[in-house]
Amino acid sequence: MSNSVAENIANFLKEYSPFSYLSHEELIQVATSIGVINLDKHKILFQINDKLHDSFYVVASGVINLSVIADAEETLLNKCYAGDVFGLRPFFAKNNYMMTAKAREDSIVYAIPIAVFKPFVAQNPQVLDFLLESFATNTRNPFDKENRGKLITDNVYTEGQQNEIQYFQSLAYNKTPLKVSVSAIAKDTAQLMTENLTDSVVVTEQNHPIGIVTDTDFRSKIANGRFPLISTIDKIMSSPVITVPENVSVAEAQLLMLKNNVSHLCVTVDGSDKSEVKGVISEHDLIVAQANNPGVLIKEIKRSLSPKELKLVREKLTDLIQSSIAKNIPLPHIYNISGEIITAIIKRSIELSILDLGSPPARFAWFSIGSQGRKEQFLLTDQDSFLVFEDVAEEKYRDVKDYFLKLAKRTTTILEKVGYDFCPNGHMASNMLWCKSMSDWIKQYNNWMKTPGEKSNDISSIFFDYELVFGEGKIEDTLDDLILKNTKNNALFFDYLGNDALRKNAPINFFRKFNLEEEGDHKGKFDIKNKAIMPLVDGARLFAISLNLKGINNTYLRFKQLAIADPKFSEIYLNCADAFLILSKFRTLEGLKNDSTGDYINVEELSKVDKEKMKNALGPMKELEELIKDKFQLTQFS
C-alpha cells in the first residue's frame, strides 16, 4: 500500500476509538496492512455460522446492517456507519459468527488483520478496555460521548447485554392514530385531538404520511400567535415524518428520537413514508416500555440482598412474560429476555452464598442445564445445575470439595425460596455427584460418551445443554473441546443418543386422537412436555452435537441453525422450529393460567381450532423421527 493511501487511512482512523489511542506511527503500521473491501448494495461480508475471519472491520463509508435470526427470519440488530467497528468475534471467541453483516448500500470497509492489531491491544490497556467492554456489554463507544466510532458487539446472546436485549424487546404503541388531510384546519384538528385524548395527529396523502402535528406544535406555533387558528394544518406540521417499520424495537425507536430530536415516530408498513400508516410511537410509549425493561429488573437483582428480594423480581418477570405473550411478542424474543433475567437471579444467588461463606478456595464454574441451560425457562420449573472446580493438590481436594458443596447447597436453597423447586432427580450442583473437579468431570463425560449404556446408565442428555452462569470461561472451553473430541467417529454415542430421543411415547394415536394419561393425578390430560416438546428438544440437541453447532443451546435457534448447516433437510428443521414455538406457547399459557409447570393440558378445555393447531404442530415430529433413524442408522440400542 502506498504511503499516501496509508496516510489517508491513518488520518481517518485516528478520529475514532479505539484507534485514537494509538500514535501516528502505530496507525501507519496498522494502515499499511489493511485490506480495502468494496461491498455492493446487499452484498454479505459474513453471515451466521460462517467460520471466523482473520480480520475485524471498520466502516469507511456507506452503511452495514447487522442482523440475527429471530422469529423465523433475520431481524435487524444494528446499523454501522463510518467509523463503526464490528466483526470482533475472532478476538474473543472461537465459535462461528452469530450475526450477519450485509451492506445496506454501496459501502467501503477496512479489514484490519487481527494478527497485526493484537500487539497494540496488548501494549495499550485503553484499547483492550474499549474492546472488552464494548464486546461484553454492547455499549456504544463507552469512551466517546460524541458517539463516533460505535463498536458493535458480535456476541449476540450473552450475559449482561441489556442494551442488546432492547433490540429484541417489542414496543407497544398507538395502532389507531388520528389522521387528517393536508387541507384540515388547525382549529378543527385541535378539537379532534382533544376529543380523542391524544397528543398527535398524522397528516396524510393517500394514507401515506407527509407530516405530523403534536401538542408542542400548537403551543409553539398557534398559542404564541405565529399562525392563526384558521390556518391549514400543513402550515404548522412537522415534515418530513420520521418513519419506522411495524416491528421496531425499543432501542431503535429511542435512538431515532434522540438522533432526529423528535417526540413522535410514525409507524408504516415498510418503514418508509411511501407506505400505509399503521401507528404512532410517542415518548410516553418509550417511558412505559422502559419501566418493563429487563435492564431495570437486572439492576434490581444486582442490588438484592436476600431471597425475598429476588423472589419479588421473579414475580415481576412472570408479569413481564404474561404481558409479552398477551402482546404477541415473538417467543424467541421472550426466551432471550427471560433467560437473561433468570441467569442474573442465579448469579446473584451464588454471589450471596459467597458473601456468607467467604472467597472460594479455587477457581470454578457454575452451569445451568436443562430448560435454563437452553434459555427456555418461562415457568417456575425445577432447578438443574452442576459445578466444576479446578484441579487442586490431593491433600486439598476434600476441603475444596466441601466448600463448593456448601456453596451449592446455600445457592440451591436460595433459589428454592425464590420459587424454583429442587430437582426431583437430584440434577443439582448441591449433589456431590454433580459437584466435582475438572478431572472428575472429564472422566464423567468420557464415560457417558465412550461407553454409553455400559458404565453410564445414569447418562442424562440435559448435561449437553449447559450454560455458563458464573465463573471461569476456560472451564466451559475445556468441556466444549472434550465433547467435540469425543463426537468424532463415535457412532456408538450417537446410536445411544438417537434411540434416547425416540423413546418418548407417541403424542397421538392411529385415529389422530391425543394419547392422554391413563392413571395418576393427571389422568385424562395430555403430557405436552414429555410427549410433544421433549422429542423436539432431544432431536435438536442430537443434530446440533453431530454437526458441532457450538454456543447454541436454545431448541428453536438450533433448528434454525440446522436449516443453514444442513440445507438438504432445511424444510424439516424449519417445520420443527415452528412446531416447537407453537407447542411451547400452549404449555406456557397453561402454566400461567394455573400457576403450574404447564406440563399437562386438559385438551377438552381447548377450542376446536386450538386442538387442530396443536395436532398440526405434532406433525413435523414424525419427519424428525424418520430423519434421525436415517441419519444415524440406529441399531444397538433400538
Side-chain angles (χ1 to χ4, degrees):
M1 184 179 289
S2 70
N3 287 339
S4 60
V5 174
E7 190 81 22
N8 287 337
I9 293 176
N11 288 335
F12 172 85
L13 292 177
K14 73 179 182 181
E15 298 296 320
Y16 305 101
S17 294
F19 310 103
S20 56
Y21 299 120
L22 303 183
S23 67
H24 184 71
E25 291 73 20
E26 290 172 329
L27 284 173
I28 291 292
Q29 191 176 336
V30 171
T32 53
S33 65
I34 279 176
V36 180
I37 301 174
N38 289 284
L39 294 175
D40 295 333
K41 185 177 181 180
H42 300 319
K43 180 74 174 177
I44 291 174
L45 180 61
F46 57 78
Q47 61 187 359
I48 295 166
N49 214 38
D50 275 358
K51 290 186 177 178
L52 299 179
H53 298 180
D54 58 6
S55 299
F56 68 99
Y57 302 99
V58 181
V59 181
S61 66
V63 182
I64 303 296
N65 280 356
L66 300 181
S67 59
V68 294
I69 287 180
D71 195 27
E73 62 184 4
E74 287 199 351
T75 297
L76 181 67
L77 183 65
N78 220 322
K79 297 173 186 175
C80 304
Y81 299 91
D84 290 354
V85 183
F86 66 99
L88 276 172
R89 176 158 287 275
F91 258 116
F92 304 107
K94 57 187 177 182
N95 52 319
N96 296 346
Y97 285 112
M98 297 175 70
M99 177 178 291
T100 293
K102 181 192 295 185
R104 186 185 182 197
E105 57 190 54
D106 291 348
S107 304
I108 298 174
V109 171
Y110 293 148
I112 304 179
I114 289 172
V116 172
F117 198 70
K118 267 192 173 178
F120 301 114
V121 176
Q123 297 161 16
N124 194 321
Q126 288 175 303
V127 174
L128 178 60
D129 288 346
F130 177 92
L131 299 183
L132 282 172
E133 183 170 349
S134 298
F135 183 77
T137 65
N138 192 36
T139 54
R140 291 180 164 273
N141 191 341
F143 305 108
D144 186 347
K145 293 180 181 178
E146 296 301 316
N147 197 31
R148 295 187 303 170
K150 303 186 301 294
L151 190 151
I152 310 301
T153 181
D154 289 294
N155 207 20
V156 181
Y157 300 110
T158 57
E159 175 190 335
Q161 294 180 4
Q162 298 322 310
N163 289 346
E164 191 166 273
I165 288 174
Q166 290 184 41
Y167 282 94
F168 294 95
Q169 186 183 356
S170 297
L171 182 61
Y173 54 85
N174 178 14
K175 292 183 171 62
T176 56
L178 288 181
K179 290 178 278 189
V180 297
S181 69
V182 71
S183 59
I185 303 301
K187 179 181 178 182
D188 298 335
T189 303
Q191 183 65 34
L192 186 66
M193 290 169 63
T194 301
E195 290 171 355
N196 286 273
L197 301 175
T198 184
D199 66 348
S200 67
V201 60
V202 182
V203 184
T204 63
E205 277 186 354
Q206 298 180 331
N207 206 25
H208 295 174
I210 62 169
I212 190 168
V213 177
T214 68
D215 284 345
T216 302
D217 292 311
F218 279 101
R219 289 196 303 270
S220 62
K221 299 172 185 177
I222 298 289
N224 64 7
R226 284 176 59 193
F227 295 95
L229 269 171
I230 57 171
S231 300
T232 51
I233 206 69
D234 61 311
K235 299 292 192 301
I236 67 167
M237 71 182 184
S238 298
S239 183
V241 183
I242 307 302
T243 56
V244 293
E246 293 181 82
N247 61 349
V248 67
S249 68
V250 171
E252 288 169 321
Q254 191 170 39
L255 290 171
L256 280 170
M257 282 190 187
L258 290 170
K259 180 180 177 182
N260 295 284
N261 192 29
V262 296
S263 59
H264 292 74
L265 303 173
C266 186
V267 181
T268 62
V269 172
D270 67 3
S272 77
D273 59 4
K274 305 301 181 188
S275 64
E276 183 183 350
V277 175
K278 302 299 287 186
V280 169
I281 298 170
S282 68
E283 284 182 320
H284 175 73
D285 296 327
L286 287 181
I287 292 169
V288 171
Q290 291 294 339
N292 291 322
N293 188 323
V296 175
L297 297 185
I298 287 182
K299 285 178 182 177
E300 288 185 33
I301 291 168
K302 290 180 177 179
R303 291 194 298 265
S304 295
L305 296 173
S306 68
K308 185 178 179 180
E309 291 176 2
L310 289 174
K311 185 176 183 179
L312 290 174
V313 179
R314 182 58 183 81
E315 289 168 352
K316 290 180 183 179
L317 172 60
T318 300
D319 293 339
L320 178 60
I321 292 169
Q322 198 153 11
S323 63
S324 298
I325 289 176
K327 293 174 187 173
N328 286 319
I329 292 175
L331 241 59
H333 297 188
I334 310 174
Y335 276 139
N336 187 41
I337 293 168
S338 175
E340 294 299 335
I341 293 173
I342 296 171
T343 295
I345 289 174
I346 298 170
K347 184 176 180 180
R348 186 57 180 162
S349 300
I350 297 168
E351 290 171 346
L352 292 176
S353 299
I354 290 174
L355 285 172
D356 285 341
L357 289 174
S359 299
R363 288 175 291 188
F364 76 102
W366 182 290
F367 294 91
S368 285
I369 52 177
S371 59
Q372 173 53 21
R374 296 188 302 271
K375 295 285 181 72
E376 294 167 2
Q377 190 178 41
F378 282 166
L379 305 165
L380 282 170
T381 52
D382 56 280
Q383 303 178 42
D384 294 294
S385 60
F386 69 89
L387 188 149
V388 186
F389 56 87
E390 66 179 344
D391 290 328
V392 295
E394 187 176 349
E395 64 272 16
K396 294 181 179 179
Y397 180 87
R398 181 184 291 275
D399 288 341
V400 170
K401 181 161 185 172
D402 283 347
Y403 172 90
F404 285 115
L405 278 172
K406 288 177 183 176
L407 175 70
K409 286 175 181 176
R410 283 177 184 259
T411 301
T412 54
T413 298
I414 290 173
L415 291 171
E416 194 267 340
K417 291 177 180 177
V418 171
Y420 299 102
D421 290 340
F422 294 126
C423 175
N425 298 314
H427 292 146
M428 295 186 296
S430 53
N431 183 335
M432 65 185 302
L433 289 174
W434 314 127
C435 174
K436 46 196 176 187
S437 68
M438 188 75 252
S439 292
D440 288 339
W441 274 110
I442 289 172
K443 291 176 186 175
Q444 179 72 71
Y445 274 95
N446 282 337
N447 284 339
W448 277 337
M449 300 185 74
K450 292 180 178 178
T451 59
E454 293 179 21
K455 300 177 183 176
S456 50
N457 290 324
D458 60 344
I459 182 172
S460 180
S461 52
I462 64 170
F463 282 91
F464 294 89
D465 293 339
Y466 53 79
E467 163 94 353
L468 178 65
V469 172
F470 189 99
E472 291 292 316
K474 289 181 179 179
I475 292 177
E476 183 181 31
D477 293 340
T478 301
L479 290 181
D480 288 344
D481 294 340
L482 174 67
I483 290 172
L484 174 61
K485 178 183 175 183
N486 281 340
T487 56
K488 292 178 179 177
N489 303 314
N490 191 347
L492 189 65
F493 172 65
F494 289 111
D495 197 15
Y496 185 94
L497 213 58
N499 278 289
D500 187 57
L502 300 178
R503 282 198 182 98
K504 306 291 189 298
N505 294 326
I508 53 178
N509 60 27
F510 177 78
F511 301 102
R512 212 165 176 264
K513 300 285 187 181
F514 290 103
N515 278 328
L516 307 178
E517 297 298 291
E518 296 180 355
E519 55 186 21
D521 295 339
H522 304 289
K523 183 178 179 180
K525 292 184 179 181
F526 177 62
D527 184 351
I528 193 170
K529 176 186 175 182
N530 290 308
K531 290 181 180 174
I533 294 174
M534 290 312 297
L536 293 171
V537 170
D538 293 340
R541 180 195 302 112
L542 171 65
F543 283 108
I545 294 174
S546 70
L547 291 174
N548 188 30
L549 297 187
K550 294 167 65 178
I552 304 171
N553 291 342
N554 180 270
T555 301
Y556 171 78
L557 290 176
R558 276 174 167 168
F559 279 127
K560 295 294 291 185
Q561 289 295 320
L562 286 167
I564 297 171
D566 191 15
K568 183 179 178 182
F569 302 102
S570 62
E571 186 176 353
I572 294 176
Y573 296 132
L574 292 175
N575 287 340
C576 287
D578 290 339
F580 177 76
L581 292 185
I582 292 167
L583 294 167
S584 296
K585 189 168 184 178
F586 272 113
R587 182 190 178 194
T588 303
L589 290 172
E590 182 72 16
L592 292 172
K593 181 175 72 175
N594 298 309
D595 194 23
S596 68
T597 60
D599 293 348
Y600 297 91
I601 291 182
N602 186 344
V603 293
E604 295 306 315
E605 293 179 356
L606 297 178
S607 67
K608 186 176 180 180
V609 172
D610 280 345
K611 284 181 186 177
E612 284 304 305
K613 188 176 182 181
M614 189 184 292
K615 285 178 182 177
N616 290 337
L618 298 172
M621 289 170 56
K622 190 65 179 175
E623 293 179 310
L624 184 66
E625 181 180 321
E626 294 303 317
L627 186 59
I628 291 171
K629 290 177 181 176
D630 180 62
K631 280 258 190 180
F632 299 100
Q633 298 293 303
L634 305 181
T635 54
Q636 178 167 336
F637 298 100
S638 300

